[in-house]
């Protein structure tokens, strides 16, 4: 099965912040396991870290995953 993802819009700095809005340009994926059994019951947790062009983490971004058979 494959997986696809999409990230949300860029994040903006809060009050008193000097940063400007940054668009998401990369998603780093981390899995809690190194492998999964192809038995339709094994599962694992996938964590997505969204980053901008300067490799800064953009917190609170929406990321959606889907699979196909």
């Amino acid at each position: 099965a494959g997986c696809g993802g999409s990230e949300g819009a860029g994040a903006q700095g809060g009050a008193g912040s000097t940063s400007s809005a940054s668009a998401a340009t990369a998603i780093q994926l981390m899995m809690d396991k190194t492998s999964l059994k192809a038995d339709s019951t094994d599962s694992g947790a996938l964590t997505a870290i969204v980053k901008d062009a300067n490799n800064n983490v953009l917190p609170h971004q929406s990321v959606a995953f889907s699979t196909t058979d």
Side-chain angles (χ1 to χ4, degrees):
C3 75
S6 61
E7 70 277 359
Q12 294 185 354
S17 174
T18 58
S19 65
S20 60
S22 298
T25 59
I27 299 175
Q28 177 183 1
L29 298 175
M30 294 186 298
M31 184 76 168
D32 68 339
K33 296 181 177 181
T34 56
S35 64
L36 293 172
K37 295 178 186 174
D39 63 1
S40 299
T41 61
D42 199 9
S43 65
L46 190 62
T47 301
I49 299 173
V50 181
K51 296 183 178 185
D52 67 10
N54 293 319
N55 207 33
N56 296 311
V57 174
L58 300 175
H60 312 294
Q61 299 296 301
S62 297
V63 177
F65 295 97
S66 63
T67 62
T68 58
D69 292 332

